[in-house]
Amino acid sequence: MSSKGSAPAKAGLRVGVIGAGVMGSNHARVLSGLPGVSLVGVVDPSPAHRARATELANCESFETLDQLFAEGVDAVTIAAPTHLHHEIALACIAKNIHVLVEKPIASTVEEGREIVAAAQKAGVTLMVGHVERFNPAVAAVKQAIAGEDILSIAITRVGPFPPRMSNVGVVIDLAVHDIDLIRWFTESDIVEVQPQLSSAVAEREDIALLQFRTESGVLAHINTNWLTPFKARSVTVATRGKYVMGDLLTRQVTECFGFKPDGSYSMRHLPVGHDEPLRAELIAFLKAVRNGETPAVTGDEGVASLEIATQCLETPSRPAATSPARKAPRRVAG
């Protein structure tokens, strides 16, 4: 069966999942339940991973990409380790297969740009899986600040050390989500980066305090680490007219507004949807494929967020200016 063109209407889109770790298995589970989708199968070299995905999604599994291609697919989601994204994405694009690639788009900005260029040349849909945009709490925050004069954004994304992580630290694993959100909330590029990084326990950075300024003048900071014994995910946005607080785990969004000279203000909880973010993301990807639309998170946006994350890792910390003459600690008067 050819991998090009549309499948018969009754069969729907033929979709494959590449990578059957935790994320890939969830992709397969969601896709297997979507209308108008035929889940062709999951690819993973690990028999244990294949068995888990097969059990979760009740689908075929393949050891190699070529086996999946031989079955014929219209679109794939790539949830393999980041260092494989470039090679896998280019192989799929070369077969005119539409691609959703998990964040980050690739290991390097150059690889990300090559994926974007290949997709544009082939005329296939390329979307990057920045799933946090599809969190209903994030959508509620975005709606609340629409048309507002944003002043500052603060995002906390912390938790315990993840056993599955291999070759990246918190900036690429966690903060890249929030770099994307800052760009999306402000609809502006990040033009200044001031990172503070530390490797307290891990080989890579496991604490990151990142400060940014956007082209539109918004100040933003991200606090992320793998040293907190529990997960916390929160966003606060200050605008001239309101202050919006979102808990991305409990999905509660609160808005303070109507500030008076005496310091009083009003407060209300905003309505938040109940969609599973991954399901909403995959539906958005498949809609873009079917209709030939620009996807919700483009390849260029994925590259831009990776570029800022990479800058955070490469920008040297500047020591605070100190007077060379001051050797002893200052005595406190009194």
Side-chain angles (χ1 to χ4, degrees):
M1 186 178 292
S2 167
S3 61
K4 297 185 183 184
S6 300
K10 63 176 182 179
L13 279 175
R14 293 177 61 78
V15 184
V17 176
I18 301 166
V22 174
M23 200 69 203
S25 297
N26 278 321
H27 278 239
R29 169 184 60 79
V30 172
L31 286 166
S32 68
L34 290 183
V37 172
S38 173
L39 178 59
V40 176
V42 177
V43 180
D44 198 291
S46 159
H49 283 184
R50 290 201 301 273
R52 175 177 58 192
T54 302
E55 189 179 346
L56 204 59
N58 192 25
C59 65
E60 292 285 320
S61 69
F62 308 102
E63 193 175 347
T64 68
L65 260 183
D66 286 340
Q67 289 172 326
L68 176 70
F69 291 159
E71 293 296 317
V73 284
D74 302 303
V76 296
T77 68
I78 301 174
T82 303
H83 69 276
L84 299 175
H85 286 185
H86 178 253
E87 176 190 347
I88 293 170
L90 292 183
C92 295
I93 290 165
K95 300 250 179 211
N96 280 349
I97 296 168
H98 304 285
V99 171
L100 168 75
V101 59
E102 268 299 339
K103 67 86 200 163
I105 185 171
S107 292
T108 67
V109 171
E110 290 71 27
E111 285 186 352
R113 286 183 181 141
E114 284 176 19
I115 294 171
V116 171
Q120 285 172 342
K121 190 176 176 188
V124 300
T125 300
L126 170 66
M127 179 163 150
V128 184
H130 280 283
V131 71
E132 202 68 279
R133 283 206 203 179
F134 296 88
N135 184 321
V138 168
V141 171
K142 170 81 167 167
Q143 193 174 354
I145 62 176
E148 291 283 318
D149 183 5
I150 302 171
L151 302 175
S152 71
I153 299 172
I155 304 180
T156 298
R157 185 179 297 269
V158 297
F161 194 83
R164 66 182 173 81
M165 285 317 300
S166 53
N167 59 348
V168 298
V170 289
V171 171
I172 296 294
D173 185 48
L174 297 182
V176 77
H177 278 295
D178 304 312
I179 289 166
D180 178 68
L181 291 187
I182 289 164
R183 296 181 73 257
W184 191 51
F185 284 154
T186 60
E187 295 175 7
S188 178
D189 287 327
I190 291 169
V191 292
E192 277 183 50
V193 174
Q194 292 180 319
Q196 294 291 342
L197 310 175
S198 177
S199 304
V201 178
E203 195 178 323
R204 303 270 175 158
E205 83 286 349
D206 48 21
I207 307 173
L209 299 173
L210 311 174
Q211 294 194 117
F212 307 99
R213 183 189 295 271
T214 70
E215 201 165 18
S216 56
V218 176
L219 299 182
H221 80 252
I222 298 170
N223 168 25
T224 186
N225 69 54
W226 281 329
L227 305 178
T228 308
F230 54 86
K231 264 188 176 183
R233 307 276 190 267
S234 66
V235 174
T236 58
V237 182
T239 77
R240 289 210 185 272
K242 55 176 76 169
Y243 186 78
V244 181
M245 301 169 283
D247 186 315
L248 307 190
L249 296 181
T250 64
R251 298 189 183 171
Q252 188 170 65
V253 179
T254 309
E255 178 180 85
C256 305
F257 62 100
F259 305 113
K260 302 284 196 316
D262 64 0
S264 65
Y265 59 89
S266 303
M267 193 179 221
R268 65 183 167 206
H269 293 307
L270 299 180
V272 177
H274 297 287
D275 291 352
E276 178 186 359
L278 181 59
R279 187 173 189 273
E281 176 183 72
L282 291 171
I283 287 171
F285 168 59
L286 297 171
K287 180 171 177 280
V289 168
R290 287 189 180 101
N291 301 338
E293 299 169 350
T294 301
V297 186
T298 65
D300 284 330
E301 288 176 296
V303 169
S305 294
L306 176 60
E307 192 163 16
I308 296 299
T310 304
Q311 275 182 37
C312 290
L313 295 174
E314 292 173 350
T315 304
S317 296
R318 287 173 300 194
T322 53
S323 167
R326 187 184 297 144
K327 294 278 199 280
R330 251 189 283 192
R331 288 213 305 266
V332 179

